[in-house]
Amino acid sequence: MNTSRSKRLFNEAQDFIPGGVNSPVRAFKAVGGDPLFIKSASGAYMIDEDDNQYIELINSWGPMILGHGNQVIEEAVAEAIKTSLSFGAPTGLEVEMAQTICELVPSIDKVRMVNSGTEATMSAIRLARGFTGRDKIIKFEGCYHGHGDSFLIAAGSGAITLGTPDSPGVTEGVAKDTITLPFNNLEKVEEVIAAHTDQIAAIIIEPVAGNMGCVLPAEGYLKGLRQLCDQAGIVLIFDEVMTGFRLSLGGAQELYGVMPDLTTLGKIIGGGMPVGAYGGKKELMDYVSPQGPVYQAGTLSGNPVAMSSGLAMLKQLKADPEIYVKLSDMSAYLEKGFQKNLDELGLNYTMNKVGSMISLFFTDNKVVDFESAKTTNTDLFGRYFREMLNRGVYLAPSQYETLFISTAITRELADEIIRANRASLIAIH
Ligand SMILES: *Cc1c(COP(=O)(O)O)cnc(C)c1O
C-alpha cells in the first residue's frame, strides 16, 4: 500500500500542528504507524491522499450514520449557505431543531444548542451545580465526556477519596470536586453519596459506554442510579453524545426506559457539522440564561448551516425508524461473522454489542467496566488494526472505541469485513 502523500503531509503537519493532528486519537499512537490523510469519502468508503480506498467503520466517530455523501443533508447545507453562513441572531431553523429534539428524546422538554459534545457536558454540569447549589460531581471510570477540566480527573486511591488531575493544566481545585467511580457498581455510588451528604450536584454517565470500547449497563444499573439521584436530590445526566440517535431515535434512555434529568447530545445531531446540545426538564433548563441565572452562551451556537445539516439528518431518521432495526441487524450479522471466525480459530475473545455499537476486546474476560476493559491486549489490537487496514477496512484506531456502523454497510461489505477479520486474526496469531 502506497501512503507516501499521507506520510509527507504528516511530516509537514507536525511542524505546524501539535502532534500533526487536531484531535489526539487521530495520530494512530494507540495502534502504531502513521495516520492516513483523507481526501474524500462516499457511502461506506473513505479515500486517502494516495487514492487508497477503505470500507470505514468510524463514520467520523459516529455522525455519518447514514454514510458519507448523504444527498438530503448535502442539499440542505447547500440551500442554507445561500442565505449566509451565520447571523448570530435567532432563526426559524433553531426553533425547528429544538422542537424536533424535544419530540424525539423522551426526557427533553427544552434544549440549548452548542457547538460540540464537550461544550454540552461542560454546560450541563454547570447547570446542575447552579441549580442544586452543590459543587461535586460523580463520573465513571472509562466514560468520556469531552475535554472539560472537570472530566479530566483520575480516580483517587479509594472509592471515597477525591480525584487527581489527569492532565497537566487541570488544577487540584477542580479535581477535588470530581469523584470517579467504577462503571456498573451501584454500591460504590451509594457509599459516596452517603459520605458526601448534600454535596453531590450531578452524576454524569454514558448510559452505554462507548469510550472504553462498548460496555453495556448491567441489568437494573441505570434504574438504580435514577433512584439514588431521586433520593439525594442529585441531577442525573446521561451523556448521549454517542448513543443519542444511534441506539434508537430517543437514544439509550428510550432503549432502557430510564429518564435522566439532563441529556447531552452531539455527533449525529449535527449530521457531520460541529454541533452539540444539552436539554432536559423544564425547571432545570429554565435555570439557563437569559431565563435563569446560570450563564452559557455561544457566538456560533445554532448556526444556520449546522442546523440545516442536523435537521436534515434527524428528519431522515425520524421518517424511517426501520433504520435502527436495519443497523442493529447488520451489526448482529457482523458480530455473528466475527464470532464464527473466533470459534473456528479457537479464540475466546469477548464481544459486546448493543444496537449498532460493537466492540471486539482482545481478552478472554467479560468486559463490564474499565478494569476489565483494560485486560485487553492492546498490542494485539494494534496489529489487528493494521492488518484490517491493509485489507481495506478502516477501524477506529484504538481498542477503546466501538465499531460505528452506518446504513451504507451492505451485506456484501459486511461479508468483506468478516473475511478481513478472519484473515487478520490469523495473521496476528
Ligand atoms: C465524543 C464524545 C464527547 C465529546 O464530544 P466532542 O464533540 O468531541 O467535544 C462527549 N461525550 C461522549 C459520550 C462522546 O462520545
Side-chain angles (χ1 to χ4, degrees), residues 129-207:
R129 284 169 165 158
F131 185 79
T132 57
R134 303 171 180 179
D135 289 344
K136 295 193 193 309
I137 61 164
I138 294 175
K139 71 172 178 74
F140 300 95
E141 253 183 314
C143 287
Y144 179 69
H145 305 294
H147 66 90
D149 283 9
S150 297
F151 305 116
L152 299 181
I153 310 292
S157 47
I160 314 229
T161 38
L162 302 173
T164 53
D166 211 10
S167 161
V170 175
T171 65
E172 297 285 345
V174 170
K176 78 173 175 34
D177 285 330
T178 299
I179 301 168
T180 305
L181 299 178
F183 193 80
N184 270 337
N185 184 330
L186 270 181
E187 290 82 69
K188 284 265 162 44
V189 179
E190 235 179 314
E191 220 177 286
V192 161
I193 292 173
H196 297 92
T197 317
D198 296 337
Q199 293 177 56
I200 315 284
I203 294 180
I204 185 166
I205 186 164
E206 288 180 75

Side-chain angles (χ1 to χ4, degrees), residues 19 26 41 55 72 74 76 101 180 195 211 250 322 345 366:
R26 294 179 200 169
I55 304 171
V72 178
E74 290 190 353
I101 295 170
T180 305
N211 287 289
E322 279 296 298
L345 298 171
K366 271 191 162 181

Side-chain angles (χ1 to χ4, degrees), residues 55-57 334 338 341 384 388 392-393 395 403 409-422:
I55 304 171
E56 74 113 336
L57 295 170
L334 271 177
F338 284 15
N341 289 339
Y384 171 72
M388 289 293 275
V393 181
L395 306 172
L403 302 186
I409 300 291
T410 59
R411 210 31 108 81
E412 289 67 38
L413 291 179
D415 286 332
E416 204 174 322
I417 296 165
I418 292 166
R419 279 195 298 274
N421 167 267
R422 184 185 174 85

Side-chain angles (χ1 to χ4, degrees), residues 129-379:
R129 284 169 165 158
F131 185 79
T132 57
R134 303 171 180 179
D135 289 344
K136 295 193 193 309
I137 61 164
I138 294 175
K139 71 172 178 74
F140 300 95
E141 253 183 314
C143 287
Y144 179 69
H145 305 294
H147 66 90
D149 283 9
S150 297
F151 305 116
L152 299 181
I153 310 292
S157 47
I160 314 229
T161 38
L162 302 173
T164 53
D166 211 10
S167 161
V170 175
T171 65
E172 297 285 345
V174 170
K176 78 173 175 34
D177 285 330
T178 299
I179 301 168
T180 305
L181 299 178
F183 193 80
N184 270 337
N185 184 330
L186 270 181
E187 290 82 69
K188 284 265 162 44
V189 179
E190 235 179 314
E191 220 177 286
V192 161
I193 292 173
H196 297 92
T197 317
D198 296 337
Q199 293 177 56
I200 315 284
I203 294 180
I204 185 166
I205 186 164
E206 288 180 75
V208 170
N211 287 289
M212 51 176 144
C214 176
V215 178
L216 277 60
E219 180 79 39
Y221 177 60
L222 297 174
K223 264 201 188 79
L225 288 179
R226 178 67 274 175
Q227 277 163 2
L228 290 174
C229 285
D230 286 342
Q231 286 158 12
I234 295 168
V235 176
L236 180 61
I237 305 172
F238 278 3
D239 181 355
E240 298 227 42
V241 170
M242 188 184 289
T243 53
F245 310 107
R246 173 161 290 278
L247 291 184
S248 76
L249 261 180
Q253 55 193 264
E254 183 172 77
L255 191 67
Y256 290 94
V258 178
M259 296 303 136
D261 301 303
L262 289 176
T263 302
T264 54
L265 297 164
K267 299 197 167 111
I268 293 175
I269 204 177
M273 299 289 283
V275 179
Y278 66 106
K281 287 191 179 145
K282 185 179 172 307
E283 67 263 32
L284 265 158
M285 291 308 292
D286 281 344
Y287 227 70
V288 178
S289 59
Q291 182 129 6
V294 173
Y295 191 69
Q296 187 270 312
T299 302
L300 292 173
S301 293
N303 170 273
V305 183
M307 292 304 100
S308 299
S309 166
L311 265 173
M313 169 64 85
L314 298 189
K315 279 184 192 162
Q316 289 180 84
L317 296 175
K318 189 178 138 190
D320 183 11
E322 279 296 298
I323 282 175
Y324 292 101
V325 180
K326 286 182 206 147
L327 279 171
S328 187
D329 286 352
M330 190 55 73
S331 306
Y333 183 77
L334 271 177
E335 186 196 32
K336 223 173 107 202
F338 284 15
Q339 191 60 57
K340 184 158 173 279
N341 289 339
L342 291 171
D343 291 346
E344 285 173 9
L345 298 171
L347 299 168
N348 196 24
Y349 297 145
T350 295
M351 268 194 291
N352 285 349
K353 172 191 178 290
V354 57
S356 61
M357 289 165 66
I358 314 180
S359 284
L360 165 58
F361 292 95
F362 286 84
T363 176
D364 294 354
N365 298 319
K366 271 191 162 181
V367 177
V368 297
D369 56 15
F370 194 44
E371 203 57 33
S372 43
K374 278 192 301 189
T375 64
T376 188
N377 184 335
T378 50
D379 285 342

